[in-house]
Each structure stands twice: as C-alpha cells, then as structure tokens.
Short mmCIF file of all heavy atoms in Angstrom, two decimals:
data_model
loop_
_atom_site.label_atom_id
_atom_site.label_comp_id
_atom_site.label_asym_id
_atom_site.label_seq_id
_atom_site.Cartn_x
_atom_site.Cartn_y
_atom_site.Cartn_z
N PHE A 1 -14.09 -2.93 -1.87
CA PHE A 1 -13.14 -2.07 -2.56
C PHE A 1 -12.79 -2.70 -3.89
O PHE A 1 -12.19 -3.78 -3.93
CB PHE A 1 -11.89 -1.89 -1.69
CG PHE A 1 -11.13 -0.63 -1.95
CD1 PHE A 1 -11.70 0.60 -1.71
CD2 PHE A 1 -9.84 -0.69 -2.46
CE1 PHE A 1 -10.99 1.77 -1.96
CE2 PHE A 1 -9.13 0.47 -2.71
CZ PHE A 1 -9.71 1.71 -2.46
N PRO A 2 -13.15 -2.07 -5.00
CA PRO A 2 -12.92 -2.66 -6.33
C PRO A 2 -11.45 -2.95 -6.58
O PRO A 2 -10.56 -2.22 -6.14
CB PRO A 2 -13.44 -1.58 -7.30
CG PRO A 2 -14.39 -0.75 -6.48
CD PRO A 2 -13.83 -0.77 -5.08
N ASP A 3 -11.20 -4.02 -7.31
CA ASP A 3 -9.83 -4.44 -7.58
C ASP A 3 -9.05 -3.41 -8.38
O ASP A 3 -7.84 -3.30 -8.25
CB ASP A 3 -9.83 -5.78 -8.32
CG ASP A 3 -8.45 -6.42 -8.35
OD1 ASP A 3 -7.93 -6.73 -7.27
OD2 ASP A 3 -7.90 -6.58 -9.45
N ARG A 4 -9.74 -2.63 -9.19
CA ARG A 4 -9.04 -1.63 -10.00
C ARG A 4 -8.41 -0.54 -9.13
O ARG A 4 -7.48 0.16 -9.57
CB ARG A 4 -9.99 -1.00 -11.01
CG ARG A 4 -11.10 -0.13 -10.42
CD ARG A 4 -11.96 0.45 -11.52
NE ARG A 4 -13.02 1.31 -11.03
CZ ARG A 4 -14.20 0.90 -10.59
NH1 ARG A 4 -14.48 -0.40 -10.61
NH2 ARG A 4 -15.10 1.75 -10.14
N TRP A 5 -8.91 -0.39 -7.88
CA TRP A 5 -8.30 0.54 -6.94
C TRP A 5 -7.43 -0.19 -5.93
O TRP A 5 -6.48 0.39 -5.39
CB TRP A 5 -9.39 1.34 -6.20
CG TRP A 5 -10.18 2.22 -7.10
CD1 TRP A 5 -11.51 2.09 -7.42
CD2 TRP A 5 -9.71 3.36 -7.81
NE1 TRP A 5 -11.89 3.08 -8.29
CE2 TRP A 5 -10.79 3.89 -8.53
CE3 TRP A 5 -8.47 4.00 -7.90
CZ2 TRP A 5 -10.67 5.01 -9.34
CZ3 TRP A 5 -8.35 5.11 -8.70
CH2 TRP A 5 -9.44 5.60 -9.41
N ARG A 6 -7.77 -1.43 -5.68
CA ARG A 6 -7.04 -2.20 -4.67
C ARG A 6 -5.57 -2.39 -5.04
O ARG A 6 -4.67 -2.15 -4.23
CB ARG A 6 -7.72 -3.57 -4.49
CG ARG A 6 -7.17 -4.40 -3.35
CD ARG A 6 -7.82 -5.78 -3.36
NE ARG A 6 -9.26 -5.69 -3.22
CZ ARG A 6 -9.90 -5.71 -2.06
NH1 ARG A 6 -9.21 -5.83 -0.95
NH2 ARG A 6 -11.22 -5.64 -2.02
N GLN A 7 -5.31 -2.79 -6.27
CA GLN A 7 -3.94 -3.09 -6.67
C GLN A 7 -3.04 -1.84 -6.69
O GLN A 7 -1.91 -1.88 -6.18
CB GLN A 7 -3.93 -3.79 -8.03
CG GLN A 7 -4.58 -5.17 -8.02
CD GLN A 7 -3.98 -6.09 -6.97
OE1 GLN A 7 -2.75 -6.10 -6.77
NE2 GLN A 7 -4.81 -6.87 -6.29
N PRO A 8 -3.50 -0.70 -7.24
CA PRO A 8 -2.67 0.51 -7.15
C PRO A 8 -2.41 0.94 -5.72
O PRO A 8 -1.32 1.42 -5.40
CB PRO A 8 -3.50 1.56 -7.90
CG PRO A 8 -4.37 0.79 -8.82
CD PRO A 8 -4.69 -0.48 -8.09
N LEU A 9 -3.41 0.75 -4.84
CA LEU A 9 -3.22 1.12 -3.44
C LEU A 9 -2.21 0.20 -2.77
O LEU A 9 -1.36 0.66 -2.00
CB LEU A 9 -4.57 1.05 -2.71
CG LEU A 9 -4.58 1.59 -1.28
CD1 LEU A 9 -4.25 3.08 -1.25
CD2 LEU A 9 -5.95 1.35 -0.64
N TYR A 10 -2.27 -1.09 -3.07
CA TYR A 10 -1.29 -2.03 -2.53
C TYR A 10 0.12 -1.64 -2.96
O TYR A 10 1.06 -1.63 -2.15
CB TYR A 10 -1.58 -3.45 -3.03
CG TYR A 10 -2.78 -4.13 -2.40
CD1 TYR A 10 -3.16 -5.40 -2.81
CD2 TYR A 10 -3.53 -3.50 -1.41
CE1 TYR A 10 -4.25 -6.05 -2.25
CE2 TYR A 10 -4.63 -4.13 -0.86
CZ TYR A 10 -4.99 -5.41 -1.28
OH TYR A 10 -6.07 -6.04 -0.73
N ARG A 11 0.27 -1.33 -4.24
CA ARG A 11 1.60 -0.98 -4.75
C ARG A 11 2.12 0.30 -4.08
O ARG A 11 3.30 0.39 -3.73
CB ARG A 11 1.55 -0.82 -6.27
CG ARG A 11 1.37 -2.12 -7.02
CD ARG A 11 1.66 -1.95 -8.49
NE ARG A 11 0.68 -1.07 -9.14
CZ ARG A 11 -0.45 -1.49 -9.69
NH1 ARG A 11 -0.76 -2.79 -9.68
NH2 ARG A 11 -1.26 -0.65 -10.28
N PHE A 12 1.23 1.27 -3.92
CA PHE A 12 1.65 2.51 -3.26
C PHE A 12 2.04 2.25 -1.82
O PHE A 12 3.06 2.76 -1.33
CB PHE A 12 0.52 3.55 -3.32
CG PHE A 12 0.77 4.73 -2.42
CD1 PHE A 12 1.72 5.68 -2.74
CD2 PHE A 12 0.05 4.88 -1.24
CE1 PHE A 12 1.96 6.76 -1.90
CE2 PHE A 12 0.28 5.95 -0.40
CZ PHE A 12 1.24 6.90 -0.74
N GLY A 13 1.23 1.48 -1.09
CA GLY A 13 1.53 1.19 0.31
C GLY A 13 2.86 0.47 0.48
O GLY A 13 3.65 0.79 1.37
N GLN A 14 3.13 -0.49 -0.40
CA GLN A 14 4.40 -1.21 -0.32
C GLN A 14 5.57 -0.28 -0.60
O GLN A 14 6.59 -0.31 0.09
CB GLN A 14 4.40 -2.38 -1.30
CG GLN A 14 5.66 -3.23 -1.21
CD GLN A 14 5.57 -4.47 -2.09
OE1 GLN A 14 4.78 -4.54 -3.02
NE2 GLN A 14 6.37 -5.48 -1.78
N ARG A 15 5.41 0.57 -1.61
CA ARG A 15 6.49 1.50 -1.95
C ARG A 15 6.71 2.50 -0.82
O ARG A 15 7.86 2.84 -0.48
CB ARG A 15 6.14 2.23 -3.24
CG ARG A 15 7.27 3.11 -3.78
CD ARG A 15 6.85 3.81 -5.04
NE ARG A 15 7.89 4.72 -5.51
CZ ARG A 15 7.70 5.66 -6.42
NH1 ARG A 15 6.50 5.82 -6.96
NH2 ARG A 15 8.69 6.44 -6.78
N LEU A 16 5.63 2.98 -0.22
CA LEU A 16 5.73 3.95 0.87
C LEU A 16 6.48 3.37 2.05
O LEU A 16 7.44 3.97 2.56
CB LEU A 16 4.33 4.39 1.31
CG LEU A 16 4.25 5.31 2.53
CD1 LEU A 16 4.91 6.66 2.24
CD2 LEU A 16 2.79 5.50 2.95
N LEU A 17 6.09 2.19 2.51
CA LEU A 17 6.72 1.59 3.67
C LEU A 17 8.16 1.17 3.38
O LEU A 17 9.03 1.29 4.25
CB LEU A 17 5.91 0.39 4.15
CG LEU A 17 4.52 0.72 4.72
CD1 LEU A 17 3.81 -0.55 5.18
CD2 LEU A 17 4.63 1.69 5.88
N HIS A 18 8.41 0.70 2.17
CA HIS A 18 9.77 0.33 1.81
C HIS A 18 10.68 1.56 1.80
O HIS A 18 11.81 1.52 2.33
CB HIS A 18 9.78 -0.34 0.44
CG HIS A 18 11.16 -0.70 -0.04
ND1 HIS A 18 11.87 -1.76 0.47
CD2 HIS A 18 11.97 -0.12 -0.97
CE1 HIS A 18 13.05 -1.83 -0.13
NE2 HIS A 18 13.14 -0.84 -1.00
N THR A 19 10.20 2.66 1.24
CA THR A 19 10.99 3.88 1.16
C THR A 19 11.26 4.46 2.54
O THR A 19 12.32 5.03 2.80
CB THR A 19 10.29 4.92 0.28
OG1 THR A 19 9.99 4.35 -1.00
CG2 THR A 19 11.16 6.16 0.08
N LEU A 20 10.29 4.32 3.45
CA LEU A 20 10.44 4.84 4.81
C LEU A 20 11.20 3.88 5.71
O LEU A 20 11.38 4.16 6.90
CB LEU A 20 9.07 5.12 5.41
CG LEU A 20 8.28 6.28 4.79
CD1 LEU A 20 6.87 6.34 5.39
CD2 LEU A 20 9.00 7.61 5.01
N ALA A 21 11.67 2.75 5.16
CA ALA A 21 12.40 1.74 5.94
C ALA A 21 11.61 1.33 7.17
O ALA A 21 12.13 1.28 8.30
CB ALA A 21 13.78 2.28 6.34
N ALA A 22 10.36 1.01 6.97
CA ALA A 22 9.46 0.67 8.07
C ALA A 22 9.85 -0.66 8.71
O ALA A 22 10.07 -1.64 8.02
CB ALA A 22 8.02 0.60 7.57
N PRO A 23 9.92 -0.70 10.04
CA PRO A 23 10.17 -1.97 10.74
C PRO A 23 8.89 -2.81 10.77
O PRO A 23 7.79 -2.30 10.53
CB PRO A 23 10.56 -1.52 12.14
CG PRO A 23 9.86 -0.21 12.33
CD PRO A 23 9.84 0.44 10.97
N PRO A 24 9.00 -4.11 11.04
CA PRO A 24 7.81 -4.96 11.10
C PRO A 24 6.79 -4.43 12.11
O PRO A 24 7.13 -4.13 13.25
CB PRO A 24 8.36 -6.32 11.53
CG PRO A 24 9.77 -6.32 11.03
CD PRO A 24 10.25 -4.90 11.20
N ALA A 25 5.56 -4.31 11.68
CA ALA A 25 4.47 -3.79 12.52
C ALA A 25 3.19 -3.82 11.69
O ALA A 25 3.21 -4.15 10.50
CB ALA A 25 4.76 -2.37 12.99
N THR A 26 2.09 -3.47 12.32
CA THR A 26 0.83 -3.28 11.60
C THR A 26 0.62 -1.79 11.37
O THR A 26 0.65 -1.00 12.33
CB THR A 26 -0.35 -3.86 12.39
OG1 THR A 26 -0.24 -5.29 12.43
CG2 THR A 26 -1.68 -3.51 11.74
N TYR A 27 0.42 -1.41 10.13
CA TYR A 27 0.25 -0.01 9.75
C TYR A 27 -1.15 0.22 9.20
O TYR A 27 -1.76 -0.68 8.61
CB TYR A 27 1.28 0.38 8.68
CG TYR A 27 2.70 0.29 9.17
CD1 TYR A 27 3.40 -0.93 9.14
CD2 TYR A 27 3.36 1.40 9.68
CE1 TYR A 27 4.70 -1.02 9.60
CE2 TYR A 27 4.67 1.32 10.15
CZ TYR A 27 5.33 0.10 10.10
OH TYR A 27 6.62 0.02 10.57
N LEU A 28 -1.64 1.43 9.39
CA LEU A 28 -2.89 1.85 8.77
C LEU A 28 -2.58 2.98 7.80
O LEU A 28 -2.14 4.06 8.21
CB LEU A 28 -3.91 2.33 9.82
CG LEU A 28 -4.48 1.28 10.77
CD1 LEU A 28 -5.60 1.89 11.62
CD2 LEU A 28 -4.99 0.06 10.03
N LEU A 29 -2.81 2.72 6.52
CA LEU A 29 -2.64 3.73 5.49
C LEU A 29 -3.97 4.43 5.30
O LEU A 29 -4.93 3.85 4.78
CB LEU A 29 -2.17 3.06 4.19
CG LEU A 29 -2.09 3.94 2.94
CD1 LEU A 29 -1.14 5.12 3.16
CD2 LEU A 29 -1.67 3.12 1.74
#
C-alpha cells in the first residue's frame, strides 16, 4: 500500500475512531 495513501487512511481511521469514542479493541476499517 503506497505511503501516499497510507497516511491519509491512517488519519481518517484515527479521526473516525476518536469521533465514535471507540473503546480499546482491534478494528477493521
């Protein structure tokens, strides 16, 4: 997975889980 897509995806995943108040767990986006 190219880094130019990896970093935006990481940022989106972090924002999504933070906004949803996700408890500690393993998630699949």
Side-chain angles (χ1 to χ4, degrees):
F1 205 64
D3 193 62
R4 68 179 182 276
W5 295 113
R6 187 186 301 269
Q7 295 305 319
L9 188 63
Y10 286 178
R11 290 193 294 270
F12 168 72
Q14 184 174 21
R15 187 181 176 195
L16 174 65
L17 293 181
H18 178 74
T19 306
L20 292 174
T26 292
Y27 296 84
L28 292 187
L29 173 59

